[in-house]
Amino acid sequence: MVPRSLKIGLSARLLHNPPKELGFRNKTLQYLEQSIAHWIMAHGALVMMIPTISSNAEVSRRGISVRSYVRELDGLVLQGGADVSPRSYGKEPMRADWAGDIVRDRYEMELIHEFMAQGKPVLGICRGAQLLNVAFGGTLYQDIPTLRPEAIPHVDAELYDRLQHDVTFEPESRLAALYPGQDGGRVNSIHHQAVDRLGGDLVVDARSSADGIVEAIRWRGSGYAMGLQWHPEFHAADGELLDSSPIMLDFLETAARMRDAPE
């Protein structure tokens, strides 16, 4: 029997107030960015975007739950996107435009906890890494230039994913094991928030070589949860950037192993 393809859940980006030209007045859009779906699919897995399920939604009354969704999937990837709300880690926004999306925070944290409760791996990208830290009780720098003024630029509106810097792997880390013979690599940088206080049972796997800003985190428990501050799904077109395949293959191999483990 040919084993079935892995089914990977992808958290949705939320657009609460779509531009009028899209034709969805007073509606909320849930969507994915093409590159991250293709990065997963290029390694042989199927991608299923997971819609939000709110307490007052029609689907709730039909008995669909987050637990039901997670039961049908083999792993979770958290996309990048809007800021994590400081209120999600007990702080007030320092500026109104740093208030983030608390609706998405709650939705994705519920997904994180349920996937991990069911023994399935979680991979967080950019915002997803930050939210993973918050879900484990950590905090964030609301804005790197404000709170870490000595840091190098980590976001540039004009350069976007062409802004790059080097990261250094922590010795004995999972990333160091995935890239034998390398002490780090070059990555893109599209974030103004970053990990401040590390969440419980998390360890740092990589830091920005120039300023020490946390670039990768990992849960040290018996399951699998990893967060990457850069966007590995954007690396394929640039041969000078860190090869993103070892990360996705490691995630998918873990998902397959957990799926096929005897109950």
Side-chain angles (χ1 to χ4, degrees):
M1 179 183 294
V2 177
R4 70 167 175 83
S5 298
L6 289 166
K7 295 186 291 186
I8 302 302
L10 189 60
S11 66
R13 291 182 180 228
L14 306 184
L15 186 60
H16 299 286
N17 297 294
K20 292 181 180 178
E21 57 268 24
L22 292 183
F24 295 95
R25 186 178 302 174
N26 302 321
K27 305 299 181 185
T28 296
L29 301 187
Q30 303 187 22
Y31 64 102
L32 58 81
E33 194 283 317
Q34 175 177 278
S35 299
I36 196 161
H38 286 183
W39 178 44
I40 301 167
M41 294 162 65
H43 292 85
L46 303 177
V47 175
M48 316 287 179
M49 193 181 77
I50 309 172
T52 59
I53 300 174
S54 61
S55 59
N56 62 349
E58 183 68 24
V59 289
S60 293
R61 293 194 291 271
R62 295 174 184 167
I64 301 297
S65 66
V66 170
R67 181 175 300 174
S68 300
Y69 255 104
V70 174
R71 192 181 298 123
E72 300 301 320
L73 299 169
D74 301 307
L76 171 67
V77 175
L78 302 164
Q79 295 190 73
D83 284 355
V84 174
S85 173
R87 294 187 175 93
S88 292
Y89 48 92
K91 304 288 186 180
E92 288 298 314
M94 296 170 65
R95 281 179 27 182
D97 54 343
W98 299 342
D101 188 345
I102 198 166
V103 173
R104 184 174 171 188
D105 294 352
R106 291 168 177 165
Y107 148 68
E108 289 187 317
M109 281 195 279
E110 187 176 7
L111 289 177
I112 290 169
H113 293 311
E114 188 58 40
F115 270 90
M116 297 196 70
Q118 293 191 29
K120 299 177 180 184
V122 176
L123 178 63
I125 303 301
C126 196
R127 169 200 157 87
Q130 296 164 7
L131 192 72
L132 197 64
N133 188 57
V134 171
F136 279 84
T139 63
L140 305 177
Y141 293 118
Q142 291 188 36
D143 182 65
I144 296 171
T146 301
L147 297 171
R148 290 287 302 271
E150 81 285 1
I152 63 172
H154 283 262
V155 66
D156 186 300
E158 295 298 321
L159 290 174
Y160 189 54
D161 62 335
R162 290 182 289 115
L163 180 66
Q164 303 170 0
H165 64 73
D166 293 327
V167 298
T168 302
F169 303 146
E170 292 291 312
E172 310 301 321
S173 66
R174 193 178 190 104
L175 284 176
L178 291 179
Y179 295 90
Q182 295 181 231
D183 60 5
R186 195 156 185 83
V187 301
N188 56 38
S189 189
I190 318 172
H191 63 105
H192 81 104
Q193 295 187 316
V195 169
D196 180 8
R197 188 184 75 243
L198 199 62
D201 288 325
L202 294 175
V203 293
V204 175
D205 255 30
R207 294 181 182 272
S208 168
S209 304
D211 55 24
I213 292 288
V214 173
E215 290 284 333
I217 58 175
R218 172 176 50 88
W219 188 47
R220 57 186 175 186
S222 59
Y224 179 111
M226 176 172 279
L228 306 173
Q229 187 59 76
W230 65 92
H231 282 261
E233 72 274 21
F234 295 162
H235 279 198
D238 191 331
E240 295 185 358
L241 296 179
L242 189 69
D243 180 10
S244 61
S245 288
I247 294 168
M248 180 51 60
L249 289 171
D250 180 55
F251 170 73
L252 293 177
E253 286 167 4
T254 302
R257 185 169 62 252
M258 291 179 169
R259 179 194 65 183
D260 298 336
E263 297 184 3

